[in-house]
């Protein structure tokens, strides 16, 4: 079976060296802090955010609600899960099918090192500055927990996300490749 290679960046933010901007939402949007009863909301929004995106191909658990539910359950049950870094953004439009439009989670990886997991904004709310606010809000939570450096992994082909993280102050620290097996009738491409 042919393979397709996807370049991934590990990007890092130094909380000791880089000033943190305020985590401000546009009018009408609101923060919702982590509570265990919100696991299902995080899972549903995560599935909506990643539907049709390359990361749902690379990480099949992101391609459906059941997989996102298992992922959220796994993340939130770990001893290194950081509720202070885990947020939903509530959408002001009550006519939408979901009241939320953004999700992020965070974990401690070492004594002073944290990791951002699964940044997602629903397609209808992209371009409003919510991604920047969401990541910044999570970084404030890491700082409150005494974390000094925070990393995240991003697919290099997701230029919008790479540019967003760079604008916040993340810097590329490492590169890796993920291999995806594709059907015989697809053309392997290095991305």
């Amino acid at each position: 079976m042919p393979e397709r290679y996807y370049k991934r960046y590990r990007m890092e933010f130094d909380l000791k060296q880089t000033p943190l901007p305020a985590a401000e939402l546009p009018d009408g949007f609101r923060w919702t802090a982590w509570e265990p009863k919100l696991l299902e909301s995080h899972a549903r929004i995560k599935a909506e955010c990643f539907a049709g995106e390359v990361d749902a191909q690379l990480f099949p658990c992101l391609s459906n609600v059941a997989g996102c539910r298992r992922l959220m359950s796994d993340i939130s049950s770990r001893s290194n899960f950081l509720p202070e870094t885990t947020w939903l953004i509530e959408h002001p439009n009550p006519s939408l099918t979901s009241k939320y439009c953004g999700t992020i989670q965070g974990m401690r990886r070492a004594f002073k090192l944290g990791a951002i997991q699964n940044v997602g904004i629903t397609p209808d709310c992209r371009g409003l500055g919510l991604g920047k606010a969401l990541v910044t809000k999570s970084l404030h939570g890491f700082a409150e927990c005494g974390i000094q450096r925070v990393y995240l992994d991003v697919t290099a082909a997701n230029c919008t996300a790479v540019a967003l993280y760079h604008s916040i102050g993340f810097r590329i620290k490492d590169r890796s490749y993920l291999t995806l097996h594709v059907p015989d009738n697809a053309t392997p491409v290095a991305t």
Side-chain angles (χ1 to χ4, degrees):
M1 183 178 282
E3 297 175 337
R4 184 173 286 163
Y5 300 95
Y6 290 90
K7 186 186 326 184
R8 303 266 297 163
Y9 294 139
R10 173 148 298 178
M11 298 183 76
E12 189 174 288
F13 188 94
D14 187 336
L15 284 161
K16 294 185 309 179
Q17 301 293 321
T18 311
L20 265 179
E24 297 176 358
L25 291 172
D27 288 343
F29 292 89
R30 292 185 357 181
W31 296 113
T32 301
W34 167 257
E35 294 181 48
K37 69 181 182 180
L38 293 172
L39 186 143
E40 184 68 20
S41 295
H42 275 273
R44 290 191 176 281
I45 292 306
K46 188 183 308 304
E48 187 177 337
C49 292
F50 286 97
E53 301 291 332
V54 68
D55 284 347
Q57 295 172 21
L58 294 172
F59 307 101
C61 64
L62 296 173
S63 67
N64 58 70
V65 175
C68 290
R69 187 180 300 119
R70 284 190 304 276
L71 179 61
M72 278 305 305
S73 180
D74 180 51
I75 289 170
S76 64
S77 66
R78 292 185 179 199
S79 62
N80 60 336
F81 173 64
L82 295 174
E84 302 87 346
T85 67
T86 302
W87 296 90
L88 287 166
I89 296 177
E90 189 174 330
H91 195 289
N93 187 346
S95 66
L96 296 176
T97 56
S98 174
K99 85 185 244 185
Y100 300 108
C101 61
T103 179
I104 194 169
Q105 301 83 50
M107 303 179 80
R108 183 182 301 274
R109 290 294 186 200
F111 178 61
K112 298 284 185 178
L113 179 67
I116 288 178
Q117 307 287 307
N118 312 307
V119 180
I121 300 295
T122 57
D124 61 316
C125 290
R126 292 177 185 160
L128 302 175
L130 299 176
K132 184 173 187 173
L134 191 58
V135 172
T136 304
K137 184 76 166 170
S138 186
L139 287 171
H140 280 277
F142 281 109
E144 290 171 19
C145 294
I147 300 292
Q148 294 178 355
R149 293 179 300 120
V150 177
Y151 74 86
L152 53 78
D153 294 314
V154 60
T155 303
N158 189 346
C159 298
T160 303
V162 172
L164 166 71
Y165 302 143
H166 191 265
S167 75
I168 295 169
F170 282 85
R171 297 296 174 252
I172 296 171
K173 292 294 183 182
D174 197 10
R175 291 162 183 80
S176 62
Y177 288 86
L178 234 87
T179 305
L180 180 67
H181 297 283
V182 294
D184 289 331
N185 58 353
T187 306
V189 178
T191 306

